[in-house]
Amino acid sequence: MKRPSTQQRIGPRTLFRSLAWLRICAIAGQSTAVLVCALWMHMDIPLLPLMVGIGLLAVFAVFAAWRLTQPWPIRQWETILHVGVDTLVLGYLLHFTGGASNPFISLLLIPIALSAAALTVNAVLAVAALVGAAYAVLLFWYVPLPVPMHSTAEFSLHVLGMGVNFVIMAVLLGFFINRLARAVRLQQLEMQRVRERALRDEGILAIATQAAGAAHELNTPLATMRTLLPELRREHAGDTALADDLALLEGQVDRCRTILREMVAFGKAQLSQEPEQLTVDSFIHGCLERFQLLRPEADLALALDQEAARTVLRTPPGLRHALLNLLNNAADASALHHSQAVALTVRRDGGWLELIVADHGPGFADPTGELSELGRSHKQTGLGIGLALAEATAERLEGELIALNTGHGAQMRLRLPLAVIAAP
């Protein structure tokens, strides 16, 4: 899949939203300036054409606000079109208020500055050409401002206008450029997270590929051992201790074969993308039966909310393995403090299903760190990928995996949206 470029990600929509806010500020400022000049300063300006221009900009602002609510993507050409409309309306207002001699003529630079922060070079050149054309027209075609009789008053008024314009330019550029820059930073951070997740998923895929090959190769020696072990038990039926050991070994071989079959079934379920439907109660108890087979020494305490127990899930294949990984890690962590206690709490929290696994281990040195590293931090054995796999499952289901320290150990909280995993 082609990765979107940074320019595409940070451009049109971000600028489109900033232009919508800027347009509202422009309507308020232009209306105030026109009314102050006409009613308070009693300047003989064409009030009706100016108010018509501001009214048209207000109508366009309503359309632009509606456009922002629509789901289809905002293209770069559409953003340039909106910049063009704003520039034409501003040029229209300047035409009736002195043209290029108006101290507010530098407001034409704002579209160029905003476009430069969010669009491609070609788009910025197009906006600059449009602004340049508007400025060139206003140099020769405009309605002169009515000037006071005394040149000193004319100079003071022009200087006052320049001062107000400077303040407006400073505020607008500082505020909106900061908004655009913040959006750029946030999107770059999101791209970095996506890149890290892609690298993690590539590692998981590589492990899964190796596991599939290993499962295929292990099936033959396991079949051989399953054939030989009953014969050895019959040959050494008189040796009770050896018979017991052989029986245990035969049971472990059967467990291995069962795990391999489940791996194959899991892969087929992943390919079919058809999740099984069952209640939370059935799902949890099925997971716990499997966990007790894997860790018979664990002392597991279950707290299952009755409302959650009745919820019917469209259980994705990876959820069972994610929960087993969390339970297995919790058992390992408790064992470090010579405890076998593991607690599982299942409850509904609004529109979320929470699976909370708690242990009595040493906890996490830094609960905010990478989950794969947290898995390595409190145990020396294992591959260190259990939490990473659980996190990947949570993200795929639009949920989250949260690591916390409690007063007596650590807690892993798997939160999943019922809108995604619950049956309709």
Side-chain angles (χ1 to χ4, degrees):
M1 182 178 65
K2 183 179 179 181
R3 182 177 295 172
S5 66
T6 303
Q7 196 70 15
Q8 291 173 329
R9 287 178 60 84
I10 68 177
R13 188 169 188 87
T14 302
L15 178 58
F16 202 96
R17 188 182 298 108
S18 295
L19 286 174
W21 284 105
L22 181 59
R23 199 171 291 118
I24 294 174
C25 296
I27 292 169
Q30 291 163 358
S31 302
T32 302
V34 169
L35 293 176
V36 166
C37 291
L39 303 179
W40 184 55
M41 302 180 67
H42 303 289
M43 296 181 66
D44 187 17
I45 57 176
L47 183 60
L48 181 60
L50 291 174
M51 296 308 296
V52 168
I54 296 173
L56 291 175
L57 184 62
V59 172
F60 184 72
V62 173
F63 166 76
W66 169 84
R67 175 64 182 87
L68 270 173
T69 64
Q70 302 309 302
W72 56 84
I74 295 174
R75 305 297 182 184
Q76 184 166 260
W77 64 265
E78 190 177 358
T79 304
I80 296 174
L81 181 62
H82 281 234
V83 172
V85 171
D86 293 332
T87 303
L88 291 176
V89 172
L90 180 58
Y92 170 84
L93 297 178
L94 290 172
H95 165 75
F96 286 101
T97 54
S101 63
N102 191 310
F104 292 97
I105 189 67
S106 58
L107 289 175
L108 288 171
L109 295 174
I110 290 181
I112 300 177
L114 295 179
S115 300
L119 301 182
T120 63
V121 174
N122 291 335
V124 176
L125 291 176
V127 172
L130 179 62
V131 172
Y135 185 84
V137 170
L138 291 172
L139 280 173
F140 304 102
W141 187 43
Y142 60 90
V143 176
L145 278 173
V147 296
M149 297 299 295
H150 304 290
S151 60
T152 304
E154 178 186 357
F155 177 77
S156 299
L157 185 61
H158 189 80
V159 171
L160 177 62
M162 291 177 61
V164 174
N165 178 61
F166 179 83
V167 173
I168 293 174
M169 289 280 290
V171 171
L172 291 180
L173 289 177
F175 179 73
F176 286 102
I177 293 296
N178 179 264
R179 280 173 58 92
L180 290 173
R182 182 173 179 272
V184 170
R185 290 192 297 269
L186 291 176
Q187 291 173 355
Q188 287 176 341
L189 289 175
E190 179 62 24
M191 287 183 67
Q192 182 179 356
R193 285 194 290 268
V194 170
R195 189 179 300 111
E196 291 173 353
R197 290 172 185 171
L199 291 174
R200 181 203 62 196
D201 292 344
E202 288 178 6
I204 292 174
L205 180 60
I207 294 172
T209 303
Q210 294 293 331
H216 178 71
E217 294 177 6
L218 285 173
N219 191 53
T220 299
L222 286 175
T224 302
M225 286 188 285
R226 193 167 183 270
T227 303
L228 293 177
L229 284 170
E231 296 180 3
L232 290 173
R233 288 179 61 189
R234 286 193 297 270
E235 292 177 2
H236 301 277
D239 191 338
T240 306
L242 181 58
D244 291 341
D245 291 340
L246 290 174
L248 176 61
L249 186 57
E250 189 175 359
Q252 295 299 314
V253 169
D254 288 336
R255 279 182 58 188
C256 291
R257 286 173 57 84
T258 301
I259 292 173
L260 290 179
R261 284 196 295 267
E262 289 182 356
M263 287 176 62
V264 173
F266 172 70
K268 291 180 179 178
Q270 285 283 64
L271 291 174
S272 65
Q273 295 295 317
E274 294 180 359
E276 56 181 334
Q277 292 196 12
L278 69 168
T279 63
V280 171
D281 182 73
S282 300
F283 170 73
I284 293 298
H285 283 91
C287 290
L288 296 188
E289 289 177 4
R290 171 73 184 277
F291 176 67
Q292 293 290 355
L293 287 175
L294 295 174
R295 305 296 294 267
E297 76 282 2
D299 182 12
L300 179 63
L302 172 64
L304 178 58
D305 178 72
Q306 291 304 311
E307 182 183 6
R310 293 189 296 269
T311 304
V312 179
L313 301 180
R314 293 181 292 109
T315 311
L319 183 56
R320 178 177 288 105
H321 289 268
L323 180 57
L324 288 172
N325 280 331
L326 295 179
L327 291 171
N328 194 50
N329 281 344
D332 289 338
S334 294
L336 295 177
H337 275 191
H338 307 289
S339 171
Q340 305 297 337
V342 176
L344 172 61
T345 303
V346 183
R347 67 188 184 190
R348 286 187 62 162
D349 181 18
W352 295 79
L353 177 67
E354 287 192 343
L355 307 175
I356 304 172
V357 179
D359 61 55
H360 287 260
F364 300 123
D366 179 16
T368 62
E370 291 293 330
L371 288 177
S372 59
E373 295 302 320
L374 294 181
R376 296 175 184 271
S377 63
H378 58 53
K379 61 179 183 177
Q380 303 300 320
T381 61
L383 300 177
I385 62 170
L387 291 182
L389 291 171
E391 184 188 24
T393 300
E395 290 176 357
R396 189 170 63 252
L397 299 177
E398 301 180 20
E400 58 184 353
L401 183 62
I402 304 171
L404 300 171
N405 278 329
T406 63
H408 53 269
Q411 182 184 98
M412 297 302 301
R413 182 171 298 182
L414 179 60
R415 287 172 50 86
L416 302 170
L418 291 172
V420 175
I421 65 172

